[in-house]
């Protein structure tokens, strides 16, 4: 589910000139990854939809300020991340996540083919346990796990998105995975 790090420069340039069809194309390319990353940060489907939509509105209003010499997605992700963090601070509530968060991580097309009802029930139970464990992690732990394990970003790409060294990415990811593993072991579940 990794987003192309370098979107077409022509597409971005057209967006900067106010071309609504180009922006529509950009939204089409980024809508799904933006939603799932917001979901990873916020842990709530409604909040994730709201933040991802607000991100596109903000990007449209400020795309003229974007420096086309820089990669686009890190700039876009910064807007999304800042809005998600603001939403977490302002709502001051414990987020609850729907099945899509862990479901997107655990589900593959091969899993779907020919699944028996008993297998589907076990999978749904596993998704619920992983969701519960993920929501016990800090936002930064969920974010780093999401970027690497759900969206399949390279360490360098994560470092660029978060503005931290690659070594810090590896360290944070190791720690976050260890915390998740411990939570799942406490619950009697195996690592996904």
């Amino acid at each position: 589910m990794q987003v192309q790090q370098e979107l077409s420069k022509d597409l971005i340039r057209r967006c900067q000139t106010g071309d609504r069809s180009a922006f529509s194309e950009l939204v089409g390319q980024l809508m799904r990854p933006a939603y799932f990353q917001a979901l990873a940060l916020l842990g709530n489907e409604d909040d994730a939809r709201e933040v991802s939509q607000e991100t596109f509105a903000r990007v449209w209003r400020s795309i003229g300020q974007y420096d086309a010499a820089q990669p686009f997605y890190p700039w876009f992700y910064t807007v999304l991340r800042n809005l998600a963090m603001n939403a977490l601070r302002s709502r001051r509530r414990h987020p609850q996540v729907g099945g899509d968060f862990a479901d997107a991580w655990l589900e593959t097309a091969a899993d779907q083919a020919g699944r028996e009802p008993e297998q589907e029930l076990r999978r749904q139970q596993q998704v619920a346990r992983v969701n519960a464990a993920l929501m016990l992690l800090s936002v930064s732990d969920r974010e780093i796990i999401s970027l690497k394990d759900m969206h399949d970003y390279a360490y360098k790409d994560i470092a660029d998105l978060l503005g931290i060294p690659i070594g810090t990415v590896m360290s944070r990811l190791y720690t976050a995975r260890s915390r998740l593993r411990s939570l799942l072991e406490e619950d009697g579940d195996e690592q996904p």
Side-chain angles (χ1 to χ4, degrees):
M1 192 186 285
Q2 183 178 4
V3 176
Q4 242 183 13
Q5 284 298 308
E6 195 56 40
L7 296 163
S8 160
K9 290 196 183 286
D10 180 58
L11 178 65
I12 303 302
R13 183 191 53 72
R14 288 177 27 227
C15 290
Q16 288 183 306
T17 63
D19 183 338
R20 290 184 183 273
S21 67
F23 191 72
S24 219
E25 186 178 332
L26 181 72
V27 169
Q29 289 182 30
L30 296 179
M31 185 181 328
R32 183 173 167 85
Y35 167 76
F36 279 108
Q37 193 57 46
L39 182 60
L41 293 169
L42 297 164
N44 179 284
E45 292 176 350
D46 293 333
D47 293 344
R49 264 190 293 282
E50 185 178 319
V51 164
S52 57
Q53 289 172 1
E54 178 61 22
T55 299
F56 287 111
R58 293 262 177 108
V59 165
W60 175 250
R61 287 193 303 266
S62 61
I63 198 158
Q65 298 168 1
Y66 162 68
D67 177 5
Q70 301 299 317
F72 179 79
Y73 192 74
W75 179 78
F76 174 86
Y77 182 76
T78 300
V79 174
L80 176 93
R81 186 174 192 257
N82 289 342
L83 287 170
M85 295 305 169
N86 288 343
L88 283 173
R89 279 190 292 273
S90 70
R91 292 189 176 116
R92 299 221 195 286
R93 63 185 168 87
H94 186 73
Q96 296 297 315
V97 71
D100 286 343
F101 184 39
D103 203 26
W105 187 17
L106 298 172
E107 186 70 26
T108 65
D111 290 336
Q112 293 175 2
R115 188 180 296 139
E116 296 293 323
E118 186 176 310
Q119 291 173 316
E120 176 61 19
L121 178 61
R122 275 197 301 270
R123 188 195 66 78
Q124 288 175 1
Q125 290 169 340
Q126 181 183 24
V127 166
R129 284 192 301 273
V130 171
N131 274 327
L134 284 166
M135 293 317 300
L136 293 173
L137 295 175
S138 69
V139 173
S140 61
D141 284 350
R142 285 195 313 265
E143 178 180 39
I144 201 108
I145 287 172
S146 173
L147 288 169
K148 181 62 180 158
D149 295 334
M150 296 176 190
H151 295 278
D152 197 31
Y153 281 101
Y155 292 120
K156 181 182 181 333
D157 296 333
I158 296 170
D160 292 344
L161 287 173
L162 300 180
I164 58 177
I166 291 175
T168 303
V169 169
M170 295 186 321
S171 173
R172 285 186 188 174
L173 184 60
Y174 176 81
T175 301
R177 284 174 174 163
S178 295
R179 288 179 182 143
L180 178 60
R181 188 176 307 110
S182 292
L183 289 168
L184 291 171
E185 286 171 357
E186 285 174 16
D187 189 37
D189 194 16
E190 296 178 16
Q191 183 179 355

